[in-house]
DNA sequence: CCACGTTCTTGATCTGGATCAATAGCGTAT
DNA sequence: ATACGCTATTGATCCAGATCAAGAACGTGG
């Protein structure tokens, strides 16, 4: 369904070099020779259908996944069966590294839509990491980025009101799409309202109401999964609407 | 300013081998020879007074810190001046690694009481990491642990009621003290109520009330900073008091 | 010693967002 | 088509925990 013509597929075998995502993904910053070595350990193009799991909590950890297309949700489940969404992941992102310390996964990863991923055996990756300095740096880089984004998420849930959380979520999606060459103002949500609510620590109903509210304000148009952002700056204003904030330079009315 | 006095400190110079924390800290799992190499790059025993900063947000990142004694709070500040506490850190913990991706710190670290830390230049550490496989693994280990604890924290703030959060916080402190050879049931809090509230995403008043409440229930005795836990199991029960939980075996009144 | 600032506790009130409830829009299997 | 299940929207009510307010306990410096 992807390359439907008669050409032989081996000739057009994808490599990191022609992946189009390589600047966002693992090979970022690698020299050509090193990229070839990486290429050799990667099992490419595993196809994943919506609802399929890349891995599940408690599975043994031996593979790292790079998303090529589609989107993936990660979540952890708690004793009592409740579920906490920890993130939505777009092409170019690396998944699974947080299991290094436990040797088994502490979260699950499920496709939100048809997706394709590259699989990288972790032990082979660790070898490479040792041999290629910039690769080592990159691994630490990826993990420290994750820590930072978690801190940000933490702060958001702990301190920001519901509307600011949703606004920030939408802006972050918009930015990611923009970075990947898609429209930053018009896109489809691959996740349900439920998943969004869960990620943001809100109830579904609240998310739904907020979408309607944003639409009433003229900030965006929402039709089910389809979003068109009309006023990025307006959304950013919402982001900073924290109760504890003095907001000295706004309107100057007082 | 490094080796200033006349007594010869070298005789009592601490090394990782005799640190007592080495099983919790960076040298964990290293062989003796490798530990010596690590020893050589570590600047030991920087003394930190209460309120002093190890580093501040936006500082250039070039050093990783290992806590030897005392305790340290990490926090990020948001645009508007609000502050989000991201963690309290006890002896044996490694600080600063999350700045790898940005090359500058995205959080600040301040001593909650007099503390001493080891400083490790990151570039030297990265070299070592490349040369000592188990060290490389350990670095990833430490970071993935941090990610997991952040996910846990996220879940807690997003899904658990106030009392469960405080109970979990106390149990986690208790466990950490226990692991370090101190009493798991009697200890002093080095952080203020304000800091606790901030970490847990609550108001100070709520934390204060919960302490009183726990005391009324006979779970613990609290006198300012001094805590004595009387009923660990009871506290654990509180931890699982989530509203979304069916709790079939509770009272059976309906 | 007392004065002043900080941190903590406790009580009274208020509110953002959860929960409950009902309906509407879609998807998809028969 | 029709029926069933799932997801989303919208309204009405409720409550956990925030906010406001007032003391009390402590620390620190004169």
């Amino acid at each position: 369904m992807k390359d439907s013509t008669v050409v032989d597929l081996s000739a057009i075998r994808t490599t990191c070099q022609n992946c189009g995502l390589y600047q966002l993904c693992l090979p970022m910053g690698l020299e050509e020779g090193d990229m070839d070595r990486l290429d050799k350990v990667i099992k490419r193009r595993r196809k994943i259908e919506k609802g399929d799991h890349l891995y599940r909590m408690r599975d043994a950890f031996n593979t790292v996944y790079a998303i090529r297309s589609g989107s993936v949700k990660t979540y952890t489940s708690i004793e009592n069966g409740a579920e906490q969404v920890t993130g939505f992941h777009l092409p170019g992102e690396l998944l699974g590294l947080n299991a290094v310390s436990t040797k088994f996964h502490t979260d699950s990863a499920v496709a939100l839509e048809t997706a394709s991923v590259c699989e990288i055996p972790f032990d082979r990756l660790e070898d490479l990491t040792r041999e290629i300095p910039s690769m080592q740096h990159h691994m630490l880089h990826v993990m420290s980025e994750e820590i930072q984004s978690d801190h940000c998420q933490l702060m958001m849930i702990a301190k920001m009101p519901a509307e600011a959380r949703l606004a920030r979520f939408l802006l972050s999606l918009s930015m990611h799409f923009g970075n990947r060459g898609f429209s930053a103002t018009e896109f489809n949500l691959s996740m349900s309202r439920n998943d969004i609510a869960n990620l943001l620590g809100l109830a579904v109903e609240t998310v739904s109401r907020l979408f309607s509210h944003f639409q009433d304000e003229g900030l965006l148009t929402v039709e089910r999964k389809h979003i068109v952002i009309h006023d990025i700056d307006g959304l950013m204003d919402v982001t900073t609407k924290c109760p504890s904030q003095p907001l000295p330079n706004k309107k100057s009315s007082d």
Side-chain angles (χ1 to χ4, degrees), chain A residues 52-206:
Chain A
D52 286 351
H53 275 77
L54 242 46
Y55 56 81
R56 284 169 198 272
M57 200 162 143
R58 279 179 261 277
D59 282 354
F61 164 62
N62 35 47
T63 311
V64 170
Y65 302 86
I67 306 177
R68 280 172 53 79
S69 66
S71 53
V72 171
K73 167 180 91 171
T74 48
Y75 64 99
T76 60
S77 348
I78 329 175
E79 314 81 65
N80 54 36
E83 184 175 289
Q84 173 66 43
V85 174
T86 50
F88 302 117
H89 308 273
L90 298 179
E93 284 187 66
L94 220 54
L95 252 51
L97 271 180
N98 55 326
V100 177
S101 68
T102 41
K103 304 304 282 172
F104 60 87
H105 290 282
T106 52
D107 58 353
S108 307
V110 64
L112 290 168
E113 59 194 320
T114 304
S116 91
V117 298
C118 296
E119 300 187 332
I120 308 129
F122 180 65
D123 51 355
R124 303 284 296 112
L125 182 60
E126 231 181 350
D127 293 342
L128 270 188
T129 297
R130 201 143 45 229
E131 296 159 16
I132 308 172
S134 73
M135 186 78 155
Q136 181 199 345
H137 195 86
H138 188 60
M139 295 279 285
L140 294 178
H141 187 100
V142 167
M143 297 190 79
S144 94
E145 258 181 347
E146 163 126 29
I147 293 173
Q148 283 179 32
S149 102
D150 286 346
H151 283 177
C152 183
Q153 186 74 9
L154 213 51
M155 183 222 75
M156 195 165 85
I157 295 195
K159 300 266 144 60
M160 284 163 54
E163 54 176 0
R165 296 187 216 173
L166 185 62
R168 186 184 253 272
F169 168 74
L170 291 172
L171 287 173
S172 132
L173 265 189
S174 155
M175 206 190 64
H176 278 276
F177 283 125
N179 287 344
R180 280 161 182 78
F182 299 105
S183 168
T185 54
E186 179 166 4
F187 47 83
N188 284 300
L189 300 172
S190 57
M191 68 293 289
S192 67
R193 299 284 191 273
N194 231 310
D195 286 337
I196 297 175
N198 192 314
L199 176 80
L200 301 179
L202 298 170
V204 210
E205 295 93 327
T206 305

Side-chain angles (χ1 to χ4, degrees), chain A residues 28 34 36 51 153:
Chain A
M28 184 172 90
D34 291 334
D36 285 341
Q153 186 74 9

